[in-house]
Amino acid sequence: MKTIIEPFKIKAVEPIRMTTPDERQGLLAAAGYNPFLLRSDDVLIDLLTDSGTSAMSAEQWAAVMRGDESYAGSRSFERFEASVRDVVGFTHIIPTHQGRAAERILFSCMCAKGDVVPNNTHFDTTRANIEHVGAEAVDLVITEGTQPATLHPFKGNMDVPALEALIERVGAARIPLCMLTVTNNSGGGQPVSLQNVREVREVLRPHGIPLYIDACRFAENCYFIKLREPGQSHRRVKDIARELFSLADGCTMSAKKDAFANIGGFLATNDSALARQERDLLILTEGFPTYGGLAGRDLDAIAVGIQEVLDEDYLRYRMASTAYLGEHISAAGVPIVLPPGGHAIYIDARGFLPHVPPEELPGQSIVAELYLEAGIRSVEIGTVMFGRTDPNTGREIPGAMDLVRLALPRRVYTQSHVDYVVEAILAVFARRSSIRGMRIVEQSPHLRHFSARFAWR
Ligand code: F0G
């Protein structure tokens, strides 16, 4: 059969509240044109994020009932630790309430003021946590990874010569660790090849620089490896994942993505001295090392989810549904990051609205229009998220790209939902020449995209 179906049936449903275009005008204006400030009840199709929004399986809900809520040494922790270790292989598995908590603990223990941390592309919280300890976050994705229309099977790869040059320039002593984000979320959900991980490791090894994986979407990345990397098609995704992690010294993970959990994460390492330091900090701010800020039931949901995500029927459907959205809008001329990523489609806002310069936030305009058109919530990943306002001139300093991310929650929407999204995007695209830019009217100094307010130009 050619048709790829959702490999599940639906047991519980959540109604969607319909809104009219007129209502949405008022709702979006009240939210300062920032989708983060909308109520979810006022959203028809929520593509803001794939994080914590997965539908859990019947097995996960059953596991929730088995949760052992003991403060110390719970059975839930034992199941969590065994299941996570089975996939990632690291010696120390430290639960945290989500990915950024793992990041904060990792960078607090490993980085000092003046240090430099390379990554293919840092996610916003990763960058912010590095900068918070006074270190510098450097993005070293390959050139193709910053060109939306350029085709490359592994656009998330790190630029290995650039990594060598960075080590040469700042000196290995100032680089406490190197990270690889799989898939590369801020760069379009693009995968990193096993070969690239090996090459990065070989560059780091003589300098004794540890390699960490930001593993949020590791299963999607490993499925791309299976599909695209020579010599990998016969392997189980789980075995590819194990090899990927075996090339690293540790990882951070948001279980809200490729573990189908609504909350949770972990930090893992093979370094026992470091793990002791990390657990001490964990106790201070997250909780005892056998729960790390999570309920026992959450640990059980992750234990089941991190295995389920490796099911290849699921991964095949997941990639097919994301590609379906990408291919339908791309075929109609909408510029997107190609090829389609794993968890999301990224519209190239500069190509979509060529008459709106980056300083006028073309991505934010498209986000607003998709909501007004059809109640779809998306997010800008561009100048609002990664640029800044020049304090002297008041002008916007643009980010590397201006993208609009349409992130697909896992196992939540069906093909007709996606057809609706395609129709809405094409309707906005048809009237693109009349769409104006936006300006920021209010912003906070850190992670401004969450709370900024906007107005049309
Ligand atoms: N790393 C990457 C690559 C991420 O995409 C995220 C979260 C994190 C770390 C932090 O994890 O949210 O559990 O603290 N990304 C979400 C998103 C929020 O919408 O892409 P967290």
Side-chain angles (χ1 to χ4, degrees), residues 69-84:
E69 304 303 342
S70 306
Y71 190 94
S74 74
R75 292 188 303 278
S76 295
F77 177 72
E78 288 171 12
R79 289 187 285 262
F80 163 86
E81 187 187 39
S83 179
V84 170

Side-chain angles (χ1 to χ4, degrees), residues 112-131:
K113 200 165 162 22
D115 283 347
V116 178
V117 181
N119 198 328
N120 41 2
T121 312
H122 292 87
F123 182 66
D124 59 356
T125 60
T126 323
R127 170 175 288 279
N129 273 298
I130 290 170
E131 291 173 354

Side-chain angles (χ1 to χ4, degrees), residues 49 98-100 103 123 181 185 214 216-217 254 257 405:
T49 180
Q98 59 184 84
R100 67 197 69 185
E103 292 166 359
F123 182 66
T181 305
N185 184 14
D214 178 338
C216 297
R217 299 176 182 85
S254 169
K257 284 89 170 171
R405 187 181 74 173

